[in-house]
Amino acid sequence: MKIFITGIGTDVGKTIASAIVVEALEADYWKPIQAGDLNDSDSHKIERYISNDKTAIHENSYKLNTPASPHLAAALDGIDIDLKQIKEPKTNNHLVIEGAGGILVPLNDNDCVVDLIQKDYKVIVVSRHYLGSINHTLLTIEALQSRKISVAGIIFSGDENKSTEEIILKKSGLKFIGRIENEPYFDANVISYYADNFRDILLNL
């Protein structure tokens, strides 16, 4: 199984969600494009968060120095992102792929993050509650579906908001995978706890 994890924007909890899914499935992890924080990248964080010994963390296809939209970060590094150079790692294991920002974040003048999603990927959307998040979540789902990309499920991140969750699930018809609470901290033990709770539904996506 190949799972692509995207969010309704930046800083909504994609990396924490990715760590939980990786740990639950003992899957491999791959972030095709890392922009900024190269000394403490999302790949480094995944490595700290997981506790299983089966996961392989694959190299980024692009490592960009500036924490910005990939198209800008690449331009500042004097390069262009070429989708043909982004090659999915070969593995016999499950693979979790983490996007960068939201699905319409530009990679170059023509391509966006959504163009990284292949036909055999199962897409999970991570939504975090804030004023406007219902709109951003439903727009993300509609943009995926308009490109004939089916969404396997949704993870809510942060403090519970029953009204928001209920209307998103009702309007989207998506499978609810789980909620990641606004924990005071995340470490391997906390990730393992969520992984145990999410495992069964993930295996049945």
Side-chain angles (χ1 to χ4, degrees):
M1 181 162 49
K2 299 173 185 177
I3 296 176
F4 189 95
I5 295 184
T6 190
I8 64 170
T10 191
D11 293 328
V12 296
K14 288 191 308 298
T15 302
I16 291 296
S18 295
I20 290 166
V21 177
V22 166
E23 182 66 17
L25 301 177
E26 297 186 330
D28 286 7
Y29 172 84
W30 178 47
K31 180 151 187 169
I33 300 168
Q34 174 71 39
D37 299 321
L38 297 185
N39 292 322
D40 189 26
S41 69
D42 292 336
S43 296
H44 289 108
K45 292 171 185 172
I46 296 292
E47 189 172 16
R48 290 201 303 271
Y49 287 144
I50 62 172
S51 50
N52 80 84
D53 59 4
K54 294 183 180 178
T55 294
I57 297 174
H58 299 277
E59 280 292 315
N60 311 112
S61 298
Y62 285 94
K63 295 181 179 180
L64 309 171
N65 288 293
T66 305
S69 175
H71 81 289
L72 174 59
L76 293 172
D77 284 354
I79 61 174
D80 290 316
I81 293 175
D82 182 353
L83 287 190
K84 294 178 182 176
Q85 300 302 315
I86 299 177
K87 297 178 180 178
E88 179 188 301
K90 294 180 179 179
T91 177
N92 293 320
N93 196 6
H94 298 301
L95 179 65
V96 172
I97 307 105
E98 182 181 351
I103 60 168
L104 294 185
V105 167
L107 304 180
N108 52 42
D109 288 346
N110 300 307
D111 305 307
C112 294
V113 167
V114 69
D115 297 302
L116 297 173
I117 300 174
Q118 302 301 311
K119 290 182 178 180
D120 59 340
Y121 290 0
K122 296 180 184 293
V123 177
I124 293 176
V125 172
V126 180
S127 176
R128 188 174 185 87
H129 306 308
Y130 54 81
L131 188 62
S133 67
I134 296 174
N135 182 52
H136 293 162
T137 303
L138 295 177
L139 281 172
T140 296
I141 294 163
E142 187 167 302
L144 287 163
Q145 293 173 341
S146 73
R147 289 164 172 77
K148 305 290 191 292
I149 298 170
S150 62
V151 182
I154 188 165
I155 292 173
F156 291 109
S157 171
D159 294 332
E160 182 179 13
N161 185 317
K162 287 185 178 180
S163 175
T164 294
E165 294 178 18
E166 286 173 1
I167 197 67
I168 288 171
L169 292 171
K170 183 176 182 179
K171 284 186 170 294
S172 68
L174 291 187
K175 179 182 287 189
F176 171 58
I177 294 172
R179 181 188 308 101
I180 304 167
E181 301 292 347
N182 202 17
E183 303 287 352
Y185 64 89
F186 286 94
D187 62 11
N189 289 329
V190 176
I191 295 297
S192 179
Y193 166 80
Y194 280 101
D196 288 343
N197 289 334
F198 286 21
R199 183 172 294 110
D200 286 347
I201 195 164
L202 289 169
L203 288 170
N204 287 289
L205 288 181

